[in-house]
Amino acid sequence: MAAAAGDVCGAVPGSRAGAGAAAEARFISSAKGKGLFATKNIRKGETVFVEKPVVSSQFLWNALYNYRACDHCLRALETAEENAQRLLGKSSLVLPHPEQCSIRKDLHQQCPRCQVTYCSAECRQAALEQYHHVLCLGPSRDDPTHPLNKLQEAWRNMHYPPETSSIMLMARMVATIKQAKDKEWWIKTFSQFCNKTANEEEEIVHKLLGDKFKGQLELLRLLFTEALYDEHLSRWFTPEGFRSLFALVGTNGQGIGTSSLSQWVHACDALDLPMLQREELDAFIDQLYKDIEKESGEFLNCEGSGLYVLQSCCNHSCIPNAETSFPENNFLLHLTALEDIEAGEEICISYLDCCQRERSRHSRNKILRENYLFTCSCPKCLAQADDADLTSDEEEEGEGETDDAELEDEMTDV
């Protein structure tokens, strides 16, 4: 029986999701590393597991642009109506069925020293106990000369939207170990995430920071050291150790997206309404999304990234049998089966979006090499091994149907 929605895998050094779990991590080979395998038969649509991240953080530009999220679990803090009003730039907008919004603003709490906001007392306490005692800026929150503020400003000036990582994920890793009584336990936890060779690490850093990455990485290291140095973790602050830490986050960080508006839409979809009311509500929602896209583009969600022990073991396939999602409007990751999975079968997700998966084998692998540093050998790629080595845009050029903008969008969607 797959993990129930409330059966959450915690941040534990062990690779198995607890007693009775539907999946476990196993070592495959030195070339491929770990993989996630079903321990029992799993039916299509079942939740394989629900996992909390070891550590997570909202993207810095996302927060700067007023996407308000809980500083711990990334739950959206705006009501669905407030969210839609901001994205539309229309304060007079009124959403129907406001009771379908799950945001409880009466539960929100702030850190009394630095005023960062949490969705609940539980999240405020969890953050304080794990890392916030070290990272709390107190009255220096708006002081540009504070070492943590200098580090965040430097990161924003190097890594622009669309964001794929955050220096604060690394900061929370260090702060977690600095606060921990059992530091070795946490070091062991973080050591489970896959590591890369020196050359691969440089490629990942280059991908995140651009052509001037070597000088920028050294500046980040110096600022990181000024803000967070700890003798127990001295290796992480050396040039080689910092590069490895940076690459670990770049390789294993899982994107997180939360939205009170999306939650409201899903709740409205489940309403049992007379046909005419259903048609009117669906038309309202369709038009709302069209208007928001015109005003705000594709950036609709509170966004961040996290490190998930089990999810990070999921390998890629161009024909995945599982997918990740965040249906609870917070950092809890749900892994759901896309088809029946037999006990002993590897559970794979796709690192590509739906459009990218429909492109040619050569085009898919070009994206995977550029972003994830590997060539896919899934059944679909092996079946297409004899196809011409043309990217999808080259195939379209032969047919006179190239869409450069679409290709650029897909190539930059990490």
Side-chain angles (χ1 to χ4, degrees):
M1 180 176 176
D7 185 11
V8 180
C9 311
V12 294
S15 61
R16 188 167 178 139
E24 65 179 1
R26 299 176 189 169
F27 180 76
I28 299 175
S29 66
S30 56
K32 200 169 182 180
K34 296 178 184 176
L36 194 71
F37 292 83
T39 58
K40 56 187 71 175
N41 293 337
I42 303 169
R43 289 188 176 276
K44 178 180 178 180
E46 275 194 272
T47 300
V48 183
F49 60 72
V50 180
E51 185 177 16
K52 282 198 305 186
V54 178
V55 69
S56 62
S57 179
Q58 186 179 7
F59 292 146
L60 293 179
W61 278 106
N62 189 257
L64 193 65
Y65 284 139
N66 294 319
Y67 289 79
R68 297 182 58 239
C70 173
D71 200 59
H72 182 63
C73 78
L74 273 73
R75 182 185 299 277
L77 297 176
E78 296 175 306
T79 65
E81 189 168 275
E82 289 171 336
N83 190 196
Q85 289 172 346
R86 177 175 57 79
L87 292 172
L88 271 177
K90 187 177 179 181
S91 60
S92 61
L93 176 74
V94 176
L95 293 185
H97 302 287
E99 75 284 354
Q100 297 304 314
C101 176
S102 61
I103 300 302
R104 292 282 307 277
K105 300 188 80 168
D106 57 306
L107 299 179
H108 294 179
Q109 293 200 4
Q110 290 185 320
C111 169
R113 296 190 66 241
C114 68
Q115 279 72 57
V116 297
T117 307
Y118 300 97
C119 68
S120 64
E122 290 77 13
C123 273
R124 183 170 73 86
Q125 188 63 28
L128 186 64
E129 291 177 355
Q130 184 178 339
Y131 55 80
H132 189 66
H133 181 73
V134 168
L135 297 179
C136 182
L137 290 168
S140 300
R141 183 180 182 186
D142 297 320
D143 179 3
T145 66
H146 189 283
L148 272 174
N149 285 331
K150 291 192 319 189
L151 176 65
Q152 293 182 74
E153 180 63 19
W155 175 257
R156 279 193 292 264
N157 289 331
M158 295 177 192
H159 189 66
Y160 294 95
E163 299 171 273
T164 57
S165 190
S166 174
I167 195 73
M168 292 309 293
L169 202 58
M170 298 166 60
R172 289 188 176 183
M173 291 171 68
V174 171
T176 293
I177 295 174
K178 289 180 76 166
Q179 279 192 214
K181 292 180 180 178
D182 189 349
K183 299 183 188 298
E184 293 303 322
W185 188 92
W186 280 101
I187 291 173
K188 183 179 179 182
T189 296
F190 291 130
S191 72
Q192 292 182 91
F193 295 97
C194 73
N195 298 303
K196 298 291 185 180
T197 65
N199 286 339
E200 288 174 329
E201 287 176 354
E202 287 216 348
E203 287 189 55
I204 294 165
V205 174
H206 186 186
K207 180 70 182 175
L208 289 174
L209 297 182
D211 291 336
K212 298 179 181 178
F213 71 96
K214 288 187 178 179
Q216 290 180 327
L217 186 66
E218 179 59 14
L219 173 60
L220 285 174
R221 185 184 72 84
L222 294 174
L223 292 171
F224 195 77
T225 301
E226 179 187 1
L228 294 161
Y229 184 78
D230 183 83
E231 188 65 35
H232 199 84
L233 297 169
S234 58
R235 185 186 173 278
W236 281 7
F237 295 90
T238 66
E240 296 78 15
F242 185 71
R243 184 190 64 201
S244 296
L245 183 63
F246 199 92
L248 181 152
V249 168
T251 302
N252 297 281
Q254 163 67 43
I256 301 169
T258 63
S259 168
S260 55
L261 180 60
S262 177
Q263 287 269 298
W264 173 81
V265 169
H266 286 307
C268 286
D269 286 344
L271 289 174
D272 184 13
L273 298 173
M275 183 178 297
L276 182 59
Q277 290 184 34
R278 167 54 60 193
E279 291 174 352
E280 290 175 347
L281 180 59
D282 289 347
F284 175 87
I285 291 172
D286 289 344
Q287 188 60 49
L288 177 65
Y289 272 118
K290 289 176 182 176
D291 293 343
I292 288 175
E293 185 175 3
K294 288 179 183 177
E295 185 69 27
S296 300
E298 297 179 357
F299 296 99
L300 305 182
N301 301 332
C302 298
E303 295 180 349
S305 63
L307 296 177
Y308 295 83
V309 173
L310 280 173
Q311 178 275 334
S312 70
C313 297
C314 289
N315 288 312
H316 164 83
S317 173
C318 296
I319 43 173
N321 56 11
E323 66 178 358
T324 60
S325 63
F326 299 90
E328 298 186 47
N329 190 32
N330 61 13
F331 62 15
L332 292 179
L333 179 147
H334 289 231
L335 187 74
T336 306
L338 292 174
E339 58 187 52
D340 291 348
I341 303 172
E342 295 183 2
E345 185 179 349
E346 185 175 7
I347 301 172
C348 293
I349 59 176
S350 179
Y351 301 171
L352 306 175
D353 63 33
C354 293
C355 293
Q356 290 169 335
R357 292 201 296 273
E358 295 306 312
R359 299 177 74 82
S360 69
R361 175 191 60 83
H362 189 67
S363 187
R364 295 195 307 272
N365 275 289
K366 182 180 179 183
I367 299 170
L368 292 169
R369 282 193 299 271
E370 288 180 353
N371 292 292
Y372 303 101
L373 311 184
F374 73 89
T375 299
C376 183
S377 58
C378 73
K380 182 175 181 178
C381 286
L382 291 177
Q384 296 174 345
D386 294 331
D387 291 359
D389 284 344
L390 295 174
T391 58
S392 295
D393 60 314
E394 290 170 329
E395 292 170 348
E396 289 171 359
E397 280 178 3
E399 300 171 5
E401 298 179 355
T402 304
D403 188 341
D404 292 333
E406 180 184 349
L407 177 63
E408 183 178 354
D409 286 344
E410 291 180 6
M411 287 304 206
T412 56
D413 185 10
V414 177

